[in-house]
Amino acid sequence: MDDVPTLSQSPLPSVAGPLTLSKEALPAAAPAPLPPTIVTLPLAFTGQPGEFFRIWIVNVLLSVLTLGLYSPWARVRTRQYFYGHTWLDGHAFEYTAQPIALLRGFLLVGGLFVVYSLSQRFEAYQWISYLLLGVFFVTYPWLVYRSLKFNAANTVYRGLSFHFHGNARAAYVAYFLLLLTVPFTLGLTYPLAVWFQRRYLLENAAYGTARTRWGKDVGPVYLTFLIAVGIGIVVVCTLGFLAFGGIALLGVSGGLSGIFQRPDSDAADTLQTFVLLGLAATGYVLMILVYTALWQYIRAALLKYSLQDLYVGDTLRLQATFDPVRLAWIGVSNLLAQIVTLGLLTPWAEVRRTRYLLSGVQVQTIASLDDFQADVNASESALGEAAHEFFNFDLGF
């Protein structure tokens, strides 16, 4: 328990002003109320890569041996580990979902996916795959909505559950209608869709009876995408300039002239092919790295923007102090480590990112966290969460 964070208190601001004297008797005035004391509570993650690796490798092996049927149990065990090692004010979070509830949804979604895959193989039945694909896109916002309700209802802190009060109609605006406009606006409405999705998530959540309030503008979301696009253009132009400059330099110095001036030689043709393929492969890998780094930066910057000054009720708000550039670097280096080790460093990567992210999030409150009250916790369908697990939805967090 040494790693469990402790609270710190900011000093009370002074309320004493200059005193004046009067000869007349003054009525006794009620003392001015003291401003509330703001208590800052840091979040912390105490998970260890070695511990999570043992859970992760068992999950992978059993999921493979059971042809995926163990996936609901794997998901619950993973979430229980991460929630159970996330601490706030001496209390850990809990994930209370039951794997059997996820299994029913998982079997339904998995069965439909098998039908889709088989119908793709036979021309006479391909219409079934198109029909299922259309059904998936049409129901995607509803699945997101059900997944959010299920996850919120099964997230517990200090014995109180979270809730999600959003409705399906707003989900269709954020996750369907606005995304349909993206191709026709050359992508200009994509940041607007992202902002609508964040607003849908963060203005409909609740802890007990305390609703969250976000109230952020769409401008910084557009600015984040513009910064990323600008950095991408500069990096790609720089890499292109260096590549063509290097080729030209080698050509002038005679390094490549012997290759390109001897097309009749089989060895020269082969070497020329290898050089061009090597350049193309290098450029392709660099482009993927640039795209990955920029996308990680966008995700990190939007996450910080989303969490900063997120209010829960009238007495609590979040503060985000992590560096988006460093979080993006952690995401890129994690991906490279996972590729090089064929996925074996996935537990280390997930623990590393979670530990840094949560170390940069604080809760500021002017009331005890025990003052929050419970709300009615209705049973929620696990179908949306099962689809989330099966297709790995990206909800932005």
Side-chain angles (χ1 to χ4, degrees):
M1 295 295 292
D2 293 338
D3 296 332
V4 177
T6 58
L7 58 84
S8 62
Q9 291 189 343
S10 59
L12 286 172
S14 172
V15 295
L19 297 176
T20 58
L21 298 177
S22 173
K23 295 180 180 179
E24 300 179 357
L26 295 176
L34 292 174
T37 301
I38 301 175
V39 179
T40 300
L41 305 169
L43 276 166
F45 182 70
T46 58
Q48 299 296 325
E51 288 179 351
F52 181 53
F53 180 82
R54 290 191 287 274
I55 296 174
W56 177 81
I57 196 67
V58 171
N59 287 343
V60 171
L61 291 176
L62 290 180
S63 296
V64 171
L65 291 176
T66 60
L67 302 178
L69 291 178
Y70 187 75
S71 295
W73 281 265
R75 184 170 188 84
V76 169
R77 290 184 69 203
T78 299
R79 292 212 169 190
Q80 286 178 340
Y81 180 81
F82 277 84
Y83 281 46
H85 285 83
T86 300
W87 292 85
L88 174 65
D89 194 26
H91 295 264
F93 286 75
E94 301 174 63
Y95 185 67
T96 60
Q98 296 300 316
I100 198 69
L102 283 171
L103 180 62
R104 290 192 290 268
F106 189 85
L107 288 175
L108 176 60
V109 176
L112 292 175
F113 184 75
V114 170
V115 173
Y116 167 82
S117 300
L118 291 177
S119 60
Q120 277 274 305
R121 294 177 176 271
F122 303 99
E123 186 174 354
Y125 298 102
Q126 284 188 351
W127 64 272
I128 297 178
S129 65
Y130 299 139
L131 177 63
L132 290 176
L133 195 62
V135 170
F136 171 74
F137 281 114
V138 171
T139 57
Y140 172 74
W142 182 82
L143 293 172
V144 171
Y145 156 70
R146 299 305 309 180
S147 176
L148 292 171
K149 289 186 77 70
F150 180 82
N151 275 322
N154 287 286
T155 300
V156 177
Y157 175 69
R158 287 179 180 244
L160 281 185
S161 296
F162 286 76
H163 300 274
F164 186 74
H165 296 284
N167 55 52
R169 184 176 58 184
Y172 272 90
V173 174
Y175 291 92
F176 189 75
L177 293 179
L178 284 172
L179 291 179
L180 286 180
T181 67
V182 172
F184 303 103
T185 59
L186 302 178
L188 291 177
T189 54
Y190 184 70
L192 180 64
V194 171
W195 177 76
F196 260 91
Q197 293 169 7
R198 295 294 190 279
R199 194 179 71 164
Y200 178 67
L201 291 170
L202 298 174
E203 291 193 347
N204 289 299
Y207 174 54
T209 57
R211 295 285 296 266
T212 55
R213 290 182 287 117
W214 193 48
K216 297 291 186 68
D217 297 326
V218 69
V221 178
Y222 270 95
L223 182 61
T224 300
F225 277 92
L226 284 176
I227 291 174
V229 170
I231 294 174
I233 292 174
V234 171
V235 172
V236 170
C237 290
T238 303
L239 291 176
F241 176 78
L242 292 175
F244 285 108
I247 292 175
L249 187 61
L250 287 173
V252 171
S253 63
L256 292 178
S257 59
I259 297 175
F260 294 110
Q261 291 177 2
R262 295 173 58 189
D264 55 326
S265 168
D266 292 341
D269 287 344
T270 303
L271 185 57
Q272 178 180 335
T273 301
F274 274 112
V275 170
L276 294 178
L277 287 177
L279 289 173
T282 303
Y284 181 70
V285 171
L286 288 175
M287 290 296 294
I288 291 178
L289 285 176
V290 170
Y291 171 80
T292 303
L294 293 177
W295 187 240
Q296 290 289 337
Y297 168 76
I298 290 173
R299 285 171 55 90
L302 291 181
L303 181 57
K304 183 173 184 177
Y305 179 63
S306 300
L307 295 178
Q308 183 71 25
D309 291 332
L310 174 66
Y311 282 81
V312 182
D314 296 325
T315 60
L316 186 150
R317 71 179 177 186
L318 297 185
Q319 294 291 298
T321 57
F322 58 83
D323 182 2
V325 175
R326 185 175 176 187
L327 189 58
W329 160 247
I330 289 175
V332 174
S333 56
N334 280 353
L335 180 62
L336 293 175
Q338 290 172 270
I339 292 174
V340 171
T341 62
L342 301 179
L344 288 176
L345 281 182
T346 297
W348 169 81
E350 294 186 13
V351 169
R352 179 191 181 209
R353 181 181 186 276
T354 305
R355 183 180 295 166
Y356 175 72
L357 175 62
L358 293 184
S359 68
V361 179
Q362 299 85 38
V363 171
Q364 292 185 333
T365 179
I366 57 175
S368 170
L369 298 184
D370 292 326
D371 293 344
F372 287 88
Q373 299 177 348
D375 197 357
V376 177
N377 192 13
S379 177
E380 300 293 349
S381 168
L383 179 59
E385 178 61 7
H388 182 190
E389 165 66 17
F390 198 90
F391 296 110
N392 194 22
F393 293 165
D394 183 2
L395 299 181
F397 288 90

